[in-house]
Amino acid sequence: MNRTELRFALHLIPFLDSVQDFEDGMIKLRDRRWLVWHPDVMAALFRHDRELRHPPSRTLSPLLGTRSVLWLDGDEHTRYRRTLAPVLRGSRYQALIDEMVDRAIAELPADPVSLPNWTRRLTLGIMGRIVFGVDDEELLQAFTRWLDRRLNSRVRTLAHRYLTPGTTRFDPHLDRMLLHRARTAEPPALAAYLPQEDLRDQVVSLLFAGHETTASATAWTLYWIDQNPGLCDENLLEATIMESLRLSPPAALAGNRMSDDGMVITPSIYLAHRRAASYDHPHTFDPTRKPPPPGAFFPFGGGVRHCPGKDLALTEIRTIVRALLRHKRIRLNSTHCTPQLRGAAMAPPPSLAMVATCRR
């Protein structure tokens, strides 16, 4: 591993910040591997995405499994997306989301709570209901403990990635709990539509991908509103969410693409969203900025790998933020947040605390 790739692996965000002014929007990480973010390259890459392979993440595949929909290709991937897309529309779950958000806000204590942990619990609870059709607090707590043991420490995550490559990091007891709940799910629960042969990998992937990035995006939106009090206006909410997704995307990278001759290309969401040639004053939070050029904004990925749960995620973010601002006065304890990497997700640190008091 050369110095460039080592910096990319060990210190991702500082490395991305160090190369953001490269005008050609790409950098060679090693022989036959490139990090890219130029909008023209992004647009062309996503346009031809179906012709490329999508190798598994070396960080996440030991957790989610080799049969995760996140790295299936060809007809298998197409079939899964056709199954998932119709049942992941946000409007389908609006009543459920309203109910769970109202309950979570009503139960907020007067004492400070970790904002990222709170949004993570809430979005995992919503995804659990969607996948299994029932509340199962014991199961979701076990799932959270398993994820935290493996993703909460960047050092431990990288050690497993490079020192024990190719080994799974499953929890047999948790897997038995997940499979039991999935196999007893009945329509309209999402688990009832999944094939039995790779049920474990798909359920874990849905729970992880369906809550982690949504939680991060929600927490970042609330952070930016706290930093810019004038953004509480309901008319600015949609633009505020989009600007938060630009400046603080819930994932820094958009997966790997591989050509038939072995060339690996990794799109950087983080760098594409901060490119000075695409955005005026790119580090300034400005919901009123003009729309970006094609290929410059893709917080939910792009091509055939764009997130099928995008509409659901946006529905959750809107609902949580609106409900909090309507019922509570929100104050955060920090004026500066250093992103914490949790696998693919780029979240605020757990130390970002929220105090929520009732509106009078």
Side-chain angles (χ1 to χ4, degrees), residues 11-39:
H11 305 288
L12 178 62
I13 301 303
F15 172 77
L16 296 180
D17 288 338
S18 74
V19 302
Q20 62 184 321
D21 294 330
F22 286 25
E23 292 186 6
D24 53 0
M26 61 179 67
I27 183 172
K28 186 178 181 179
L29 298 176
R30 58 171 164 80
D31 186 41
R32 305 190 66 73
R33 186 181 181 191
W34 290 81
L35 180 73
V36 299
W37 62 96
H38 192 287

Side-chain angles (χ1 to χ4, degrees), residues 204-224:
V204 173
S205 298
L206 284 166
L207 289 177
F208 172 75
H211 95 280
E212 187 81 30
T213 53
T214 304
S216 297
T218 304
W220 281 121
T221 300
L222 291 165
Y223 167 77
W224 286 114

Side-chain angles (χ1 to χ4, degrees), residues 100-113 115 118 122 222 225-226 229 232-233 319-332 354-360:
M100 299 192 73
V101 169
D102 288 346
R103 185 199 313 166
I105 292 174
E107 293 173 353
L108 272 170
D111 297 329
V113 299
L115 175 60
W118 182 78
L122 174 52
L222 291 165
I225 289 175
D226 180 77
C232 289
D233 189 329
T319 303
I320 296 168
V321 173
R322 279 185 182 133
L324 265 175
L325 296 180
R326 186 168 61 246
H327 296 296
K328 300 287 185 178
R329 294 186 185 278
I330 304 299
R331 188 177 77 254
L332 304 184
M354 172 177 70
V355 176
T357 56
C358 290
R359 289 191 174 276
R360 299 297 183 187

Side-chain angles (χ1 to χ4, degrees), residues 50 52 54 67 69 72-83 304-305:
R50 202 173 297 278
L52 302 170
H54 304 81
R67 293 291 301 165
V69 67
L72 292 179
D73 267 321
D75 292 341
E76 279 191 309
H77 179 256
T78 301
R79 284 195 298 271
Y80 265 110
R81 288 190 66 94
R82 285 175 179 166
T83 297
V304 298
R305 280 317 208 260

